[in-house]
Amino acid sequence: MLKVKDGKKKDIGRGLVRMDPVDMDRLGLSDGEIVEIKGSRRTPVRLLAADHDDCGQGALFLDGLTRGNAGVALDDRISVHKVVVDFAFEIAIRPLTTMHLLEKDLDPSGLKEKLSGLPVINGDRIRLVLGGGRDCDFQVTSTKPGGSVMISPASELIVEKPSAGAKSDKATYKDVGGLSNQLQRIREMIELPLRFPQAFLRLGVEPPKGVLLYGPPGTGKTVIAKAVANETDAWFTHISGPEIIGKYYGESEQRLREVFEEAQAHAPSIIFIDEIDAIAPKREEMGGEKQVERRVVAQLLALMDGLQARGQIVVIAATNLPNTLDPALRRPGRFDREIAVPIPDRRGREEILQIHTRGMPLARDVDLIRIAEVTHGFVGADLEALAKEAAMAALRGIMPSIDFEDFQVPYDHLRTMEIDMKNFTAALREVEPSAIREVFVERPNVTWQDVGGLDEVTEELREAVQWPMEHGDVFRRFRISPPRGIMLHGKSGTGKTLLVKALARESGANYISVKGPSLMSRFVGESERAIREVFRKAKQAAPSLLCFDEIESLVPVRGRDSGAASQFTERVISQFLSEMSGLDEMDGVVVLGTTDRIDLIDPALFSAGRFDMVLELPMPDHDGRKEIFQIHLQEKPMADDVDIDALAKATEGASGGDIAMICRTATTAAVREYIRAGETGEPLVESRHFAAVLEKRGRKTSSATEK
């Protein structure tokens, strides 16, 4: 007897189970052998050795499909038996789907090719990938001979018609990616009370009754609830918050009572309330006209923990606005545990991509690890949309071969269709991360090669920001925390914003740009709320660079103003300081501020834990100016008489922004001459164009000096 553990995602639908090689030797079993496993029913599987990390647990690793065939759940005990498996002479299968199937999809010869070598028994459920990368489940309805058999190329395959109303949309734990810790906690709360109520009776305690799932939209709250219901084999009902509200007096409360009464009749059961904030907001914030909502909240409180026991019913609720719920709901006895469903990290995104692409015909050049690395801020729903958009990009490639009059796609095209890395790259341009859609987020196209004359500052920024993201394990080993805030100051045009963009591009982090004045509002509390939202979005989009441009307008020195203006400034600065101090829990967020008037910024921002690093960007020296000229002129058609070294000498005291303007103006003059000459000859930017620009600049500089 072995304990059932969750199998690998790559094994789903392949009839494979994995066992510790030590247990295999003890039982006299060999790698690749066909055995029968038995829970509430028996099913044949192919046995493989477990990975090294999974050894020593006395467990058998099964995917959700095989667990359903064996009639077991996670952590159950299952027995393994040797069996003699014959080849099937005849096997009949029936699709378990209501989706439209092409005739070619149900071609027995094509299906038999996919099923060859699979061990089955009458009643088993099998999963196949059909044309277009679609998953479809089939039920084995009969086999000849009976018992455990193996499908071979010589077997006669009979495909029956789909039964009316059949569907195969049951979610399992394998359909949830990147949330292993959350799933484990939910299983403790829900599976144990539903499956082992006698354990709680023995301990003399009431089992937990409710779980509140909260997190951004699209992170998988509903999928978790469906997976738990299917894995526990409990009766499941779903409530959408707004549909409870009725127009007649007492109708809303009656609908809520009926849901709980129906759940009691089918106990053990799970009630899932989606968008619970719509029916249970804070009562003290409701106006006098919202009597219906007040009564609904009171009815829900009574049903969850009233005078009448609700029996073996677990309530799962989901919301992305947990702070708007009535406080009476958020206590033990109603919602015993609150579980945050976060935005997935890189490993979580890789798992989710594997789930959504497991039925897709991927080309060999598709690198899911690379896609996971560049999809910061993407939730599960975004990654699903990304996979769909990549499939649509692949479909556009065969559009010329589609006969729109006959509504037919050549089957040969369907069989050879693949989704390659170019399709995913195109999809990334179309799909935006929903977690940070409300703020201005961009992926800059500036690299370190576009920054000249700032080698020392560039190196310090790399060490402070890029290294902790790329070598986090080294920083943890040395017990050192990277700086949370970096202030860049210097004269206008020295390249502060350019540096931040290059840093965001090279580090692979999301770049969130915030203009200081844009957060200001004339309404009391709105500016503070805007600051909180910006920091919250930066945390959701981690790793991210939150850049405040012209930060002196947002956090000026306190005490200089008087009256209402002073109170407003005090509130905004206090909110900003509190958000900066709370960054210890916001791993992966670096705040950058840029200013050319550092003397106007409140000194409290430069204390430890806020802006730990202050970097001054100097005016470029001769070598720096020469490097900046080379960057701006490297792709322009230059005449041989242009001397970059002479240009660097002639621009003493110029900033990087001034040099960029000089190059742009000289090039514009060359373009003007070329067009007026009728576009004849070779288009070149010559030394005289630069001389004219420098002469004009010199006149402006001397005029400004005289004034």
Side-chain angles (χ1 to χ4, degrees):
M1 299 293 289
L2 298 169
K3 182 178 285 190
V4 176
K5 292 289 185 182
D6 210 0
K8 302 289 184 183
K9 288 184 173 61
K10 61 184 179 182
D11 293 341
I12 293 178
R14 299 172 61 194
L16 301 176
V17 300
R18 296 182 183 267
M19 183 189 291
D20 189 336
V22 175
D23 293 331
M24 291 171 64
D25 291 340
R26 178 171 55 85
L27 298 173
L29 302 174
S30 58
D31 198 22
E33 184 177 351
I34 304 296
V35 297
E36 271 191 359
I37 56 175
K38 186 176 180 182
S40 61
R41 68 184 300 273
R42 61 191 178 98
T43 185
V45 292
R46 188 179 299 276
L47 192 63
L48 294 180
D51 295 340
H52 178 72
D53 295 340
D54 296 330
C55 292
Q57 301 183 40
L60 198 66
F61 296 87
L62 291 74
D63 64 79
L65 199 65
T66 309
R67 290 199 302 272
N69 288 337
V72 292
L74 292 176
D75 296 327
D76 281 356
R77 293 286 176 175
I78 192 169
S79 58
V80 182
H81 307 269
K82 287 195 173 187
V83 65
V84 177
V85 179
D86 297 321
F87 285 106
F89 302 132
E90 181 182 289
I91 180 170
I93 60 175
R94 182 176 63 245
L96 297 174
T97 180
T98 56
M99 62 192 293
H100 175 65
L101 293 170
L102 298 173
E103 291 184 5
K104 293 286 187 180
D105 287 338
L106 301 178
D107 178 26
S109 59
L111 293 178
K112 188 165 59 176
E113 182 182 343
K114 298 175 184 291
L115 292 170
S116 183
L118 186 69
V120 295
I121 196 171
N122 187 19
D124 270 2
R125 187 173 181 146
I126 56 179
R127 181 168 296 166
L128 291 176
V129 180
L130 304 180
R134 294 170 294 138
D135 280 348
C136 183
D137 284 8
F138 292 81
Q139 184 93 34
V140 178
T141 56
S142 68
T143 64
K144 289 183 181 179
S148 295
V149 296
M150 182 185 292
I151 303 173
S152 73
S155 303
E156 181 182 353
L157 183 65
I158 301 171
V159 182
E160 300 175 356
K161 292 183 178 180
S163 57
K167 57 182 180 178
S168 60
D169 59 351
K170 287 191 175 182
T172 65
Y173 291 142
K174 281 303 169 191
D175 297 316
V176 183
L179 296 171
S180 56
N181 294 334
Q182 286 76 14
L183 274 177
Q184 182 62 32
R185 295 180 65 195
I186 291 170
R187 287 186 56 215
E188 292 174 1
M189 290 286 296
I190 296 173
E191 282 194 34
L192 292 178
L194 293 181
R195 294 176 58 199
F196 309 110
Q198 64 275 13
F200 290 89
L201 292 174
R202 176 68 180 89
L203 295 173
V205 295
E206 280 285 325
K209 294 292 187 181
V211 178
L212 177 64
L213 304 176
Y214 66 93
T219 47
K221 301 184 290 294
T222 306
V223 174
I224 287 176
K226 289 182 178 179
V228 169
N230 291 327
E231 292 278 359
T232 54
D233 200 23
W235 187 81
F236 180 82
T237 185
H238 171 271
I239 303 174
S240 180
E243 71 184 18
I244 288 294
I245 305 300
K247 62 179 180 179
Y248 298 111
Y249 190 88
E251 184 181 0
S252 303
E253 300 92 302
Q254 178 62 28
R255 289 180 180 176
L256 207 52
R257 287 195 300 272
E258 288 174 354
V259 170
F260 276 81
E261 289 169 1
E262 188 179 9
Q264 284 180 336
H266 294 85
S269 57
I270 294 175
I271 299 175
F272 178 58
I273 307 176
D274 206 2
E275 307 298 342
I276 191 174
D277 51 277
I279 60 171
K282 293 180 179 178
R283 285 171 290 180
E284 65 269 18
E285 295 181 1
M286 295 182 190
E289 72 281 359
K290 294 190 176 181
Q291 293 299 322
V292 175
E293 286 84 349
R294 289 176 182 271
R295 296 198 308 270
V296 170
V297 174
Q299 180 67 75
L300 184 61
L301 295 175
L303 290 170
M304 291 193 66
D305 188 22
L307 294 175
Q308 293 184 348
R310 57 177 159 142
Q312 217 176 347
I313 300 175
V314 175
V315 179
I316 306 176
T319 179
N320 58 319
L321 300 170
N323 294 327
T324 63
L325 291 182
D326 193 272
L329 274 173
R330 304 177 67 181
R331 71 156 177 82
R334 286 169 182 150
F335 288 116
D336 299 271
R337 184 171 291 182
E338 298 183 4
I339 298 177
V341 183
I343 291 175
D345 56 10
R346 188 203 62 78
R347 183 173 297 179
R349 293 193 295 273
E350 184 183 346
E351 287 185 15
I352 295 169
L353 283 168
Q354 288 174 348
I355 291 170
H356 289 302
T357 60
R358 65 190 176 201
M360 298 171 66
L362 298 181
R364 290 187 177 182
D365 65 338
V366 174
D367 187 356
L368 295 182
I369 297 177
R370 177 58 185 161
I371 297 172
E373 288 174 350
V374 300
T375 48
H376 305 300
F378 279 63
V379 296
D382 296 327
L383 295 171
E384 182 183 8
L386 181 71
K388 289 179 180 177
E389 189 62 36
M392 292 301 297
L395 184 61
R396 293 186 197 107
I398 68 162
M399 288 290 283
S401 64
I402 298 178
D403 187 349
F404 287 95
E405 292 183 0
D406 294 338
F407 299 99
Q408 291 291 328
V409 181
Y411 188 65
D412 292 339
H413 283 71
L414 286 177
R415 288 183 65 93
T416 57
M417 277 182 67
E418 282 188 333
I419 301 172
D420 56 22
M421 197 66 179
K422 289 182 180 178
N423 300 137
F424 278 98
T425 304
L428 280 169
R429 292 193 289 267
E430 300 292 333
V431 181
E432 295 180 0
S434 60
I436 50 176
R437 195 167 287 154
E438 292 88 349
V439 295
F440 176 65
V441 181
E442 63 175 336
R443 293 293 176 87
N445 56 0
V446 180
T447 65
W448 292 127
Q449 285 70 35
D450 298 318
V451 181
L454 295 170
D455 294 341
E456 292 184 8
V457 178
T458 299
E459 189 61 31
E460 288 192 58
L461 283 176
R462 275 180 174 170
E463 295 175 1
V465 178
Q466 203 169 337
W467 283 11
M469 292 182 181
E470 296 176 353
H471 311 286
D473 54 337
V474 178
F475 278 76
R476 287 189 292 271
R477 192 177 303 148
F478 280 86
R479 307 282 183 180
I480 182 173
S481 299
R484 292 299 183 188
I486 301 174
M487 182 70 71
L488 301 176
H489 72 98
K491 292 185 178 180
S492 180
T494 49
K496 299 183 290 293
T497 305
L498 189 72
L499 264 178
V500 174
K501 288 185 176 181
L503 181 63
R505 170 64 181 266
E506 295 289 345
S507 63
N510 285 312
Y511 173 54
I512 303 178
S513 177
V514 181
K515 306 295 182 185
S518 67
L519 298 180
M520 297 300 182
S521 173
R522 61 195 178 96
F523 298 106
V524 176
E526 281 298 306
S527 299
E528 297 92 306
R529 188 190 64 81
I531 292 172
R532 286 195 303 272
E533 282 297 304
V534 165
F535 276 89
R536 185 176 68 85
K537 292 296 181 182
K539 180 181 177 181
Q540 291 183 349
S544 61
L545 300 182
L546 180 56
C547 180
F548 290 91
D549 209 5
E550 309 295 342
I551 195 173
E552 73 275 2
S553 64
L554 188 65
V555 284
V557 177
R558 287 175 285 188
R560 291 189 175 181
D561 297 325
S562 59
S566 176
Q567 294 178 9
F568 174 78
T569 302
E570 295 269 349
R571 291 197 309 270
V572 170
I573 294 177
S574 298
Q575 183 66 50
F576 194 92
L577 294 176
S578 65
E579 294 292 341
M580 287 289 292
S581 300
L583 281 176
D584 289 336
E585 296 93 32
M586 294 174 68
D587 292 333
V589 179
V590 179
V591 181
L592 294 110
T594 65
T595 180
D596 52 3
R597 291 297 304 274
I598 196 171
D599 56 304
L600 298 181
I601 297 176
D602 193 89
L605 259 71
F606 300 106
S607 63
R610 288 164 185 161
F611 285 101
D612 309 273
M613 181 180 289
V614 179
L615 300 176
E616 181 179 4
L617 274 62
M619 297 292 283
D621 55 11
H622 177 271
D623 291 338
R625 293 193 299 276
K626 185 176 178 181
E627 187 178 351
I628 295 170
F629 269 113
Q630 289 173 340
I631 290 171
H632 287 291
L633 299 177
Q634 60 185 352
E635 295 183 356
K636 292 180 172 60
M638 306 301 298
D640 295 335
D641 63 344
V642 176
D643 187 352
I644 292 180
D645 190 66
L647 290 174
K649 289 180 181 178
T651 51
E652 182 74 31
S655 67
D658 295 333
I659 295 173
M661 180 59 71
I662 291 170
C663 295
R664 189 182 305 113
T665 307
T667 306
T668 303
V671 169
R672 187 184 305 115
E673 284 186 8
Y674 182 69
I675 292 175
R676 287 178 178 175
E679 299 185 11
T680 58
E682 188 177 0
L684 293 172
V685 184
E686 302 176 10
S687 178
R688 57 188 177 86
H689 297 131
F690 286 100
V693 175
L694 292 173
E695 182 182 355
K696 186 176 181 180
R697 178 176 178 272
R699 289 199 301 269
K700 286 184 178 179
T701 304
S702 59
S703 175
T705 304
E706 291 174 2
K707 289 181 181 179

